[in-house]
Amino acid sequence: MVQRTLAILKPDCVRKNFTGKVIDQIVNAGFKIVGMKMVTMDAKTAGEFYAVHKERPFYKSLVEFMSSGRCIPLVLEKERAIEDFRELIGATDPAEAESGTVRKLYAESKQDNIVHGSDSQENAVTEIHFFFSERELIPNS
Ligand code: CMP
């Protein structure tokens, strides 16, 4: 089934100029970019995006990190996009990520882990609409 997922190239990715390399890896893995923009989230917006982690000890620091600079949200389309994208980026903790994955190649820590990917179909829909209106996406083919 063709699916859409939300990816975010996080502030560490943009700051370290890994954007081009990571987008190349995403496209070479067969994902079609159907939406893309550059945003700077304020703490309120980043806090809303990660509201599911509100009770976690890392929440405050995560919100500070995600609002510390420019991010690039992307909507990606592919067969099994959600699962395949999570495989492409690797485990949250780069120390545990498979070799060749985006996080193994570029991430520094569990928090500063370069990229986000939706973890379920339901969350993908919510997360895509958090950043994009339908007008900003290539229509479903
Ligand atoms: P992401 O896939 O965007 O989903 C939630 C984010 O919280 C995660 O990537 C990391 O950036 C961050 N995160 C998850 N677990 C931890 C942790 N144990 N310590 C610090 N940050 C974390």
Side-chain angles (χ1 to χ4, degrees), residues 97-101 104-105:
E98 296 285 332
S99 67
T101 59
K104 186 65 165 193
L105 286 167

mmCIF file of all heavy atoms in Angstrom, residues 97-101 104-105:
data_model
loop_
_atom_site.group_PDB
_atom_site.id
_atom_site.type_symbol
_atom_site.label_atom_id
_atom_site.label_comp_id
_atom_site.label_asym_id
_atom_site.label_seq_id
_atom_site.Cartn_x
_atom_site.Cartn_y
_atom_site.Cartn_z
ATOM 1 N N ALA A 97 21.820 2.227 16.274
ATOM 2 C CA ALA A 97 21.326 2.209 14.889
ATOM 3 C C ALA A 97 22.191 1.307 14.010
ATOM 4 O O ALA A 97 23.399 1.194 14.220
ATOM 5 C CB ALA A 97 21.291 3.633 14.346
ATOM 6 N N GLU A 98 21.539 0.665 13.036
ATOM 7 C CA GLU A 98 22.254 -0.203 12.081
ATOM 8 C C GLU A 98 23.223 0.634 11.246
ATOM 9 O O GLU A 98 22.943 1.816 10.966
ATOM 10 C CB GLU A 98 21.254 -0.846 11.109
ATOM 11 C CG GLU A 98 20.253 -1.778 11.742
ATOM 12 C CD GLU A 98 20.854 -3.115 12.142
ATOM 13 O OE1 GLU A 98 21.841 -3.544 11.511
ATOM 14 O OE2 GLU A 98 20.340 -3.715 13.100
ATOM 15 N N SER A 99 24.303 0.003 10.794
ATOM 16 C CA SER A 99 25.247 0.763 9.969
ATOM 17 C C SER A 99 24.595 1.148 8.643
ATOM 18 O O SER A 99 23.753 0.412 8.113
ATOM 19 C CB SER A 99 26.532 -0.029 9.740
ATOM 20 O OG SER A 99 26.252 -1.136 8.959
ATOM 21 N N GLY A 100 24.953 2.309 8.160
ATOM 22 C CA GLY A 100 24.389 2.810 6.905
ATOM 23 C C GLY A 100 23.111 3.604 7.092
ATOM 24 O O GLY A 100 22.648 4.270 6.163
ATOM 25 N N THR A 101 22.497 3.539 8.288
ATOM 26 C CA THR A 101 21.275 4.321 8.510
ATOM 27 C C THR A 101 21.641 5.795 8.720
ATOM 28 O O THR A 101 22.784 6.123 9.072
ATOM 29 C CB THR A 101 20.484 3.803 9.736
ATOM 30 O OG1 THR A 101 21.334 3.891 10.898
ATOM 31 C CG2 THR A 101 20.039 2.353 9.542
ATOM 32 N N LYS A 104 22.919 6.508 12.219
ATOM 33 C CA LYS A 104 24.257 5.960 12.461
ATOM 34 C C LYS A 104 25.310 6.854 11.788
ATOM 35 O O LYS A 104 26.370 7.126 12.341
ATOM 36 C CB LYS A 104 24.334 4.536 11.898
ATOM 37 C CG LYS A 104 25.618 3.839 12.219
ATOM 38 C CD LYS A 104 25.724 3.643 13.718
ATOM 39 C CE LYS A 104 26.775 2.660 14.138
ATOM 40 N NZ LYS A 104 26.609 2.304 15.556
ATOM 41 N N LEU A 105 24.967 7.322 10.577
ATOM 42 C CA LEU A 105 25.937 8.118 9.820
ATOM 43 C C LEU A 105 26.135 9.520 10.402
ATOM 44 O O LEU A 105 27.242 10.036 10.424
ATOM 45 C CB LEU A 105 25.469 8.250 8.358
ATOM 46 C CG LEU A 105 25.606 6.996 7.486
ATOM 47 C CD1 LEU A 105 24.825 7.165 6.189
ATOM 48 C CD2 LEU A 105 27.080 6.722 7.180
#
